[in-house]
Amino acid sequence: MSQQPPTSDQAPNSATVTVAKRRDWWRDAVIYQVYPRSFADGNGDGMGDLEGVRSRLPYLRDLGVDAVWLSPFYASPQADAGYDVADYRAVDPMFGTLLDADALIRDAHELGLRIIVDLVPNHSSDQHEWFKRALAEGSGSPLRDRYHFRPGKGENGELPPNDWESIFGGPAWTRVPDGEWYLHLFAPEQPDFNWEHPAVGDEFRSILRFWLDMGVDGFRIDVAHGLVKADGLPDLGSHDQLKLLGNDVMPFFDQDGVHAVYRQWRTVLDEYAGERIFVAEAWTPTVERTANYVRPDELHQAFNFQYLGTEWDAEELRTVIDRTLSAMRPVGAPATWVLSNHDVTRHATRFANPPGLGTQIRTAGDRELGLRRARAASLLMLALPGSAYVYQGEELGLPDVVDLPDEVRQDPAFSRGAGQDGFRDGCRVPIPWTRTGSSYGFGPAGSWLPQPAAWAGLSVEAQQGDRDSTLELYRAALRLRRTQPDLGAGEEVEWLRAPEGVLAFRRGEFVCVANTTGESVPIPSYGRVLLASDEVTESDDGAKVPADSTVWWTTA
């Protein structure tokens, strides 16, 4: 049964009035992703929770972000870390209660932070009431039409209805005792909704209103590209297969029919004051296809996975920056920039390894090099026009934990032997807050994944006040981003002449130079240095930008 929302005397929307009113705030927002189970543990059970997140909100305010995106905390059997939702209107007890969610939203608003929650509309948990009843009622149950149940192929229906494969490996179909099969693009515990059925759309519009009435400021839409499947659920053999960051783009991805869903959702969101927003997790073959999701009557932002997957290389970066800005300009949407999230290897580790390994990497590489490049990449990202996303712990320079024992891993793809690599646990290890303690300040007890001893020196406590630390670099960058009029929103950059391997662009009186080479590079001085990821040497003849570093200048 769903938990009940706060009663009217608790005024769930009243806290929103204290959020700083800034028109079109989302066009240049810095949004911080919190993975709740790994951020802070408030009750001492070794698992992060909403009370833990609430206790650390002042840290996020002081960091200088505009909004907090929370990965799922709904009632769930946790077959896929909460992305298998059993009840969209309830908080899982491992994270707290609905009142904890309400208190977190209120506190965030009082601190000037907005809250964006994850929404998982492509699939539910197999423990969702609809699915449980569909199984119990058997073949012919009307509830089966809300999912994709089909008879099998073969003489006795013993073969799956088509040849689709799960993203987590193995067939995308599971057979139930009465002989029918159901579709799941991910784990068998995550049956896909049938978005052709009107009840599914009605339910999700109701879910949107439930959380909007609670005061949330927006939704990040999980698998936004996957809701609508190709007509007739055809075999893959009849479709060209494209490659997208190592994953196949199949007939159930990026179908044009998804856009009708989002136009309906936009009318719901626009009923609410406060500039609430939608953010799409839409894996598409090109940034031009991504732009379809952010047309004026659909969603507000879409993650820029093409940028996330780009190597630390000046030419490649310039190409994806230009393509992104060009694709977003016709639809009037802001570009977004992201380097890490809960599904990919942290960029401090990606950049520590040779290029060409993709976004899921199993080796530590040269950690000193990786951190230097990560700091430089972060300053470059924060200088670009549009909105930026920061994944928890990247402001500490955290690497992936690549040597986790197999027995502690919980990524459901890890045990499936195909599909995704299953090594996402490495970027989900709880972050360190203090130099000492059983979990480095994560909570009163240990943590659900082991933290490396070296993380004591990467903790918030260790970096606080150290002007050379990555934490203070982020704080300075976010402070300048708010105060420099030429940073933040915008549609273009003016590229400047620069040596090979170096990016240089101007935005009004602001200049950013990123050296992606392994050597110090001499360049002209562009005025006064605002911030640098490494020490810049200046002289009467100009300046030397260190290897793998980024510098911000002002010409004013």
Side-chain angles (χ1 to χ4, degrees):
M1 177 180 293
S2 296
Q3 300 166 12
Q4 295 300 308
T7 56
S8 59
D9 64 322
Q10 292 172 299
N13 284 320
S14 62
T16 61
V17 300
T18 63
V19 173
K21 290 182 172 63
R22 184 162 61 89
R23 184 157 182 79
D24 291 343
W25 65 272
W26 46 276
R27 289 190 173 275
D28 63 358
V30 176
I31 300 174
Y32 186 99
Q33 181 190 357
V34 165
Y35 193 68
R37 60 170 55 205
S38 298
F39 191 65
D41 173 15
N43 63 8
D45 65 356
M47 186 70 67
D49 47 42
L50 296 184
E51 181 56 35
V53 176
R54 184 184 174 198
S55 71
R56 297 294 186 178
L57 288 175
Y59 165 80
L60 298 179
R61 174 204 58 198
D62 295 343
L63 182 61
V65 301
D66 298 287
V68 179
W69 153 35
L70 297 166
S71 291
F73 51 79
Y74 307 111
S76 166
Q78 303 295 317
D80 185 21
Y83 283 94
D84 51 317
V85 181
D87 190 337
Y88 291 84
R89 297 177 182 85
V91 173
D92 194 280
M94 71 184 293
F95 296 122
T97 67
L98 208 56
L99 288 176
D100 291 325
D102 179 64
L104 190 158
I105 295 167
R106 290 169 177 270
D107 284 3
H109 288 168
E110 289 174 1
L111 293 170
L113 297 169
R114 292 174 170 84
I115 294 293
I116 296 169
V117 297
D118 230 311
L119 188 66
V120 188
N122 180 72
H123 49 264
S124 73
S125 165
D126 62 355
Q127 298 305 303
H128 190 284
E129 190 62 29
W130 283 3
F131 192 79
K132 290 195 297 182
R133 286 178 54 195
L135 289 184
E137 293 174 6
S139 180
S141 168
L143 284 169
R144 292 200 175 190
D145 294 337
R146 301 181 185 185
Y147 295 90
H148 293 278
F149 279 86
R150 296 287 188 278
K153 293 181 178 179
E155 183 177 353
N156 298 305
E158 70 276 8
L159 300 176
N162 67 23
D163 63 358
W164 292 5
E165 293 184 354
S166 164
I167 304 303
F168 286 167
W173 296 89
T174 289
R175 199 177 192 187
V176 300
D178 58 37
E180 287 194 328
W181 298 74
Y182 68 88
L183 175 69
H184 51 86
L185 297 187
F186 295 88
E189 297 89 349
Q190 296 169 287
D192 278 46
F193 284 117
N194 174 16
W195 273 88
E196 301 297 324
H197 196 290
V200 177
D202 291 345
E203 171 68 355
F204 273 90
R205 287 190 293 274
S206 173
I207 292 167
L208 290 176
R209 288 191 169 93
F210 179 89
W211 289 101
L212 289 167
D213 289 341
M214 282 275 288
V216 303
D217 301 283
F219 301 88
R220 176 266 191 186
I221 305 168
D222 184 61
V223 196
H225 55 302
L227 276 58
V228 174
K229 280 60 173 173
D231 290 343
L233 308 185
D235 281 343
L236 286 173
S238 62
H239 287 74
D240 292 332
Q241 293 189 37
L242 305 175
K243 288 289 184 179
L244 173 63
L245 297 180
N247 294 324
D248 289 333
V249 179
M250 301 177 182
F252 46 76
F253 280 171
D254 196 29
Q255 298 293 307
D256 289 339
V258 299
H259 300 291
V261 174
Y262 299 136
R263 284 191 289 271
Q264 291 178 352
W265 285 15
R266 182 61 180 266
T267 63
V268 173
L269 200 72
D270 288 347
E271 296 171 8
Y272 289 79
E275 292 196 280
R276 322 286 179 103
I277 69 167
F278 286 122
V279 183
E281 182 208 28
W283 293 85
T284 65
T286 66
V287 69
E288 289 79 13
R289 289 289 296 181
T290 301
N292 291 336
Y293 291 79
V294 289
R295 289 175 286 201
D297 61 344
E298 295 188 39
L299 310 179
H300 297 78
Q301 295 184 352
F303 290 143
N304 190 343
F305 292 116
Q306 284 77 18
Y307 185 77
L308 184 151
T310 303
E311 304 287 354
W312 180 239
D313 176 87
E315 184 176 354
E316 291 186 28
L317 286 164
R318 177 166 176 169
T319 297
V320 74
I321 290 168
D322 282 341
R323 287 192 64 181
T324 297
L325 295 174
S326 295
M328 295 300 137
R329 200 174 295 121
V331 295
T336 64
W337 315 101
V338 61
L339 292 167
S340 291
N341 64 35
H342 65 292
D343 280 334
V344 300
T345 301
R346 289 182 178 274
H347 61 284
T349 296
R350 290 205 315 277
F351 294 152
N353 281 275
L357 298 182
T359 59
Q360 292 188 338
I361 297 172
R362 306 180 189 180
T363 60
D366 184 339
R367 286 186 171 172
E368 182 180 346
L369 175 64
L371 178 58
R372 188 164 67 247
R373 289 176 170 176
R375 287 163 57 93
S378 298
L379 280 195
L380 172 61
M381 174 184 76
L382 293 171
L384 293 169
S387 181
Y389 282 78
V390 173
Y391 178 49
Q392 64 176 45
E394 74 172 69
E395 78 278 12
L396 304 176
L398 295 185
D400 254 44
V401 181
V402 298
D403 55 355
L404 287 170
D406 289 356
E407 60 269 19
V408 306
R409 292 187 180 274
Q410 298 190 27
D411 184 348
F414 179 71
S415 59
R416 298 187 184 278
Q420 293 183 350
D421 288 342
F423 283 81
R424 295 177 298 175
D425 292 310
C427 67
R428 300 175 177 182
V429 174
I431 66 174
W433 295 92
T434 60
R435 296 175 187 267
T436 59
S438 61
S439 63
Y440 302 109
F442 169 68
S447 61
W448 66 283
L449 284 173
Q451 301 154 298
W455 278 19
L458 296 176
S459 65
V460 173
E461 182 183 28
Q463 298 193 44
Q464 183 113 354
D466 178 357
R467 64 182 298 273
D468 295 325
S469 70
T470 303
L471 174 59
E472 295 299 343
L473 180 72
Y474 267 76
R475 286 177 172 170
L478 295 180
R479 184 168 57 250
L480 285 168
R481 189 179 160 96
R482 285 178 181 252
T483 58
Q484 289 293 314
D486 295 314
L487 284 176
E491 295 183 345
E492 59 187 23
V493 299
E494 176 192 350
W495 293 108
L496 304 174
R497 291 174 60 90
E500 185 177 356
V502 177
L503 289 175
F505 62 82
R506 184 191 307 274
R507 301 184 62 197
E509 295 178 337
F510 172 85
V511 172
C512 177
V513 175
N515 177 10
T516 68
T517 75
E519 304 291 337
S520 177
V521 175
I523 63 167
S525 175
Y526 291 102
R528 177 170 58 91
V529 173
L530 291 171
L531 189 63
S533 64
D534 202 351
E535 195 69 32
V536 178
T537 303
E538 295 185 277
S539 68
D540 294 339
D541 298 329
K544 281 193 175 181
V545 178
D548 297 304
S549 66
T550 297
V551 186
W552 290 2
W553 268 278
T554 178
T555 61

